[in-house]
Amino acid sequence: MNTESSTDHFFEHPVLGHPSGLFVLFFTEMWERFSYYGMRALLVLFFTASIMDEGWGWPREHAMALFGTYTGLVYLSTMLGGYFADKKIGYRYAVAVGALLMTLGHACMALETQFFIYLGLTFLVFGSGFFKPNMTSIISEMYKNHEKKKDGAYTIFYMGVNAGAFLGILLCGYLGEKVGWSIGFGLAGIFMLFGLLQFWFSQNIFGDIGLKPTAESKAAQLQDDTDKRNPFSKWQLVLIAVSSLLGLAWLINSPASKISGGDFNIFDFEILGLGGNDFAILSALLIFIFLLVYRLTKYSKITRDKMIAIAFFSFLIIFFWAVFEQSPGTLTIFANDYTNRVLTGNASLTFLIVNTLVCVVPLVIINWVLLQLFKRTFKQYSLANIILSVSFVMIWAITLWMLINQWYQAGFLSLSDGFRESLMIEKNTTPLTEVPASWFGILNSLFIITFAPLFSRWWESKYNPTANMKYAIGLFLLGLGMACVAFGASGIEAGAKTASVSMIWLILVYLFHTLGELCISPVALSLVSKLSPARMIAFMFGVYYLAVAIGMKLAGIFGENVDKIANENGISYFFWMLTIISLVLAVFALVMQPVIKKLMHGVR
């Protein structure tokens, strides 16, 4: 088959203008994100909840330290998953192994003991590492020689990501806060299992993409590459190992030393005026930067330029996620402690109507997409589609139960004792609505589901901005969102532990942050796939996720200091700092546009 049209057959029977395989990945990723975000929405709340509320009673600093390390390791592990997929087992087996490990991880966390919580987090870290980079790699291969449709494809895929996040935060968050932590953690694992089975039984839809690499497939990749192999030498591998071990040890030691009160600290020393922790991470970063610069000199000019462009965008990504990922940490704490979440009367009724629409309308839209996929694939992949159908029947049942419970507890719905008991709904005591702190997290996903089609059309139109402009717009919107919550919190005095700020400020934060995310995150995935050499695509996705990992850990470090800053200057000061960081980087992205455009050699 002619290489120029080798992927054309994927577009012969499209769903909404894209290959059916994209929507198989859409739903697989949706259930993975359901499990990840559903569990993540509860993690900080579970750690900081009092013993009386069946939590661990940790201070915020400890919870944020562990949370930052966990999310950092999730993205750092993609380097390992990318390597094994590229060299050993192929994309498909990597996705399946990752999904299985994550299913086991959620099952462990449902047991809630200290040993199983830590074991579950370990399974989730490695599972995500195998899963994440290889899903996007399959899309990249499917759209080879269809570059103009890639931005739109990644944006649609991103809708699947956020549909899962929306449902996971909504349902796991509600069940975890209102019924029991183990129920929320366990539900995440059930739907991860559905995602694994759906993918496994429909994998043939991808043709030869993602199979275990062979000598022939590796040779074919090299033919498409303009560079020679350039393998790592022994001294480079040693430096990579040293840098990786130092970084990994720092990530684990940082929260462990805080949580143990210093009893556990493998870097309990000082060198050149630096504490052991600081010396370790600075050493790891310097070694990595040296290796990156050295390796870039070994490629042809065009490839080198493109990889420098990836490095530039990855640098911006670090700070984007460091600010954006305050959502499950400081913004959730702000919602829990500083936001008025108790509604009565008309306010309660309005919220319940809006929340019902918020729950039902996206589910109807997603089910419509599911129906379009069924029309194309049910005959050939009936078992996978049946599994997908069962998962959505369960989602509808849980969602309707939650809504009935909320309307009843608010006093707007009457239920007979027999029907109420059959649904296991507690008897109504005080007619009011208390919005769960985790509920605000669904706004990001809801806004993405709403606005992603518009952005997809924008990227495919003649008004499609340059990559730098997209980043600049995204970072500006990120800063605007933080400015909203900073302004809303301006009346909170330094040292205050509680307040009653209007919910509107958090809603505005998630709106502007979502619009910024749509300008950066799906576009970043597309850029990495376009700029990377063919034989290094999964590895380069791993490099991209390394930048995300650093951003996630940096988000945790920011969060660790929120109480200190809030006690000294007020919590509003903390959010203004993040606003300034975002706006400065937006200007930097704009100023660098001519330089980066030249380095990209025509790639948009």
Side-chain angles (χ1 to χ4, degrees):
M1 182 179 291
N2 190 309
T3 57
E4 292 183 358
S5 59
S6 60
T7 61
D8 286 355
H9 60 286
F10 290 119
F11 293 82
E12 290 175 358
H13 302 288
V15 175
L16 305 178
H18 289 270
S20 301
L22 175 66
F23 293 91
V24 170
L25 298 176
F26 174 103
F27 286 108
T28 304
E29 182 74 9
M30 188 180 79
W31 292 137
E32 189 273 335
R33 293 290 84 184
F34 179 101
S35 68
Y36 175 75
Y37 280 99
M39 181 280 293
R40 202 181 73 156
L42 296 173
L43 200 57
V44 172
L45 292 174
F46 170 70
F47 286 147
T48 57
S50 67
I51 303 297
M52 293 294 292
D53 292 326
E54 300 181 348
W56 282 11
W58 280 7
R60 294 171 184 171
E61 180 184 1
H62 292 179
M64 291 304 302
L66 182 58
F67 180 79
T69 288
Y70 163 66
T71 53
L73 287 173
V74 160
Y75 286 89
L76 189 62
S77 65
T78 58
M79 298 286 284
L80 181 67
Y83 171 80
F84 271 95
D86 270 347
K87 307 297 182 184
K88 304 295 181 182
I89 60 176
Y91 303 146
R92 294 192 204 173
Y93 276 112
V95 168
V97 168
L100 179 59
L101 288 173
M102 286 186 283
T103 301
L104 295 173
H106 291 298
C108 288
M109 293 196 69
L111 300 176
E112 283 190 37
T113 66
Q114 191 173 63
F115 171 78
F116 280 108
I117 286 288
Y118 289 138
L119 179 63
L121 290 174
T122 302
F123 278 137
L124 291 171
V125 163
F126 285 103
S128 293
F130 275 89
F131 191 96
K132 270 183 174 296
N134 300 303
M135 290 289 285
T136 47
S137 296
I138 292 173
I139 295 176
S140 180
E141 290 294 307
M142 196 185 305
Y143 280 79
K144 188 181 291 184
N145 304 309
H146 293 271
E147 302 295 325
K148 290 183 179 180
K149 295 187 73 68
K150 266 190 177 180
D151 281 2
Y154 279 109
T155 302
I156 290 172
F157 179 71
Y158 215 62
M159 283 182 67
V161 169
N162 285 277
F166 164 78
L167 292 170
I169 295 170
L170 179 73
L171 301 180
C172 295
Y174 182 83
L175 290 172
E177 286 192 69
K178 301 296 184 182
V179 181
W181 303 110
S182 61
I183 301 297
F185 290 141
L187 187 67
I190 291 172
F191 284 95
M192 186 66 259
L193 180 61
F194 278 126
L196 167 61
L197 295 175
Q198 188 259 162
F199 175 82
W200 185 256
F201 289 115
S202 59
Q203 62 175 302
N204 289 338
I205 202 169
F206 305 116
D208 294 333
I209 293 174
L211 296 175
K212 184 177 179 180
T214 62
E216 292 77 10
S217 65
K218 291 177 182 178
Q221 280 187 329
L222 287 173
Q223 287 179 357
D224 292 336
D225 201 350
T226 58
D227 285 293
K228 295 180 181 179
R229 180 173 288 275
N230 291 320
F232 288 99
S233 61
K234 289 183 179 179
W235 69 267
Q236 292 173 33
L237 291 173
V238 169
L239 287 181
I240 290 172
V242 170
S243 177
S244 300
L245 288 174
L246 281 173
L248 184 61
W250 174 80
L251 273 172
I252 296 172
N253 186 69
S254 179
S257 60
K258 287 184 174 68
I259 294 167
S260 67
D263 293 339
F264 177 91
N265 187 2
I266 60 176
F267 294 128
D268 188 15
F269 58 82
E270 186 173 304
I271 295 179
L272 303 174
L274 291 173
N277 261 337
D278 295 334
F279 180 80
I281 192 58
L282 285 174
S283 299
L285 287 173
L286 289 173
I287 292 171
F288 176 77
I289 292 170
F290 167 75
L291 279 171
L292 179 63
V293 172
Y294 178 81
R295 290 292 299 178
L296 287 174
T297 65
K298 300 300 179 182
Y299 292 97
S300 66
K301 184 180 185 307
I302 292 178
T303 298
R304 182 170 64 246
D305 287 350
K306 290 180 177 180
M307 293 178 75
I308 291 172
I310 292 176
F312 170 79
F313 291 121
S314 296
F315 172 77
L316 295 179
I317 279 290
I318 290 173
F319 292 95
F320 175 81
W321 287 116
V323 176
F324 184 91
E325 282 299 304
Q326 297 307 305
S327 170
T330 57
L331 288 179
T332 297
I333 288 171
F334 186 83
N336 194 57
D337 298 342
Y338 298 102
T339 303
N340 179 16
R341 298 181 289 109
V342 177
L343 305 175
T344 59
N346 290 333
S348 176
L349 178 61
T350 301
F351 171 78
L352 289 171
I353 293 172
V354 171
N355 188 54
T356 300
L357 292 173
V358 162
C359 295
V360 172
V361 172
L363 265 178
V364 171
I365 294 171
I366 295 168
N367 275 257
W368 178 77
V369 174
L370 181 67
L371 182 61
Q372 305 310 306
L373 180 64
F374 280 3
K375 290 178 180 178
R376 293 293 187 191
T377 64
F378 194 90
K379 185 178 295 185
Q380 193 171 1
Y381 303 104
S382 55
L383 182 56
N385 284 311
I386 289 170
I387 291 169
L388 200 52
S389 301
V390 171
S391 66
F392 272 96
V393 169
M394 289 183 62
I395 285 291
W396 273 107
I398 297 170
T399 301
L400 293 174
W401 173 85
M402 178 190 70
L403 292 174
I404 291 171
N405 195 18
Q406 289 176 337
W407 281 87
Y408 176 75
Q409 292 296 327
F412 294 109
L413 182 66
S414 298
L415 298 175
S416 65
D417 287 344
F419 185 59
R420 178 181 57 77
E421 290 174 2
S422 68
L423 293 177
M424 293 184 289
I425 292 175
E426 294 183 5
K427 193 169 184 179
N428 189 2
T429 54
T430 305
L432 55 80
T433 298
E434 183 179 12
V435 181
S438 60
W439 179 86
F440 295 93
I442 74 169
L443 295 175
N444 172 242
S445 304
L446 176 67
F447 290 142
I448 280 187
I449 294 170
T450 303
F451 292 109
L454 298 177
F455 277 78
S456 180
R457 290 293 184 90
W458 184 11
W459 302 155
E460 293 181 8
S461 75
K462 64 180 180 179
Y463 302 106
N464 184 19
T466 63
N468 280 70
M469 182 60 73
K470 290 173 182 174
Y471 271 70
I473 294 171
L475 288 163
F476 173 78
L477 291 166
L478 184 71
L480 184 59
M482 276 303 172
C484 288
V485 72
F487 183 79
S490 58
I492 301 175
E493 295 182 0
K497 297 300 181 185
T498 59
S500 189
V501 175
S502 170
M503 292 192 297
I504 188 63
W505 299 112
L506 278 176
I507 294 171
L508 288 174
V509 171
Y510 284 105
L511 172 62
F512 289 122
H513 280 195
T514 299
L515 298 178
E517 184 184 6
L518 283 168
C519 290
I520 290 182
S521 190
V523 173
L525 295 172
S526 181
L527 278 174
V528 172
S529 72
K530 293 175 184 177
L531 292 169
S532 299
R535 62 184 168 81
M536 293 177 62
I537 191 160
F539 177 78
M540 291 309 296
F541 271 119
V543 171
Y544 165 77
Y545 284 124
L546 172 62
V548 177
I550 296 171
M552 295 292 177
K553 181 56 184 175
L554 191 57
I557 293 173
F558 287 163
E560 289 176 48
N561 292 285
V562 65
D563 281 345
K564 180 181 178 181
I565 294 171
N567 289 335
E568 294 177 0
N569 303 294
I571 195 168
S572 179
Y573 186 82
F574 173 80
F575 292 122
W576 280 122
M577 289 173 59
L578 299 183
T579 300
I580 293 170
I581 291 171
S582 303
L583 296 180
V584 168
L585 287 170
V587 173
F588 179 60
L590 202 56
V591 169
M592 290 295 291
Q593 178 169 292
V595 177
I596 302 303
K597 183 178 180 181
K598 185 176 180 181
L599 291 174
M600 292 173 69
H601 292 276
V603 174
R604 288 182 61 86

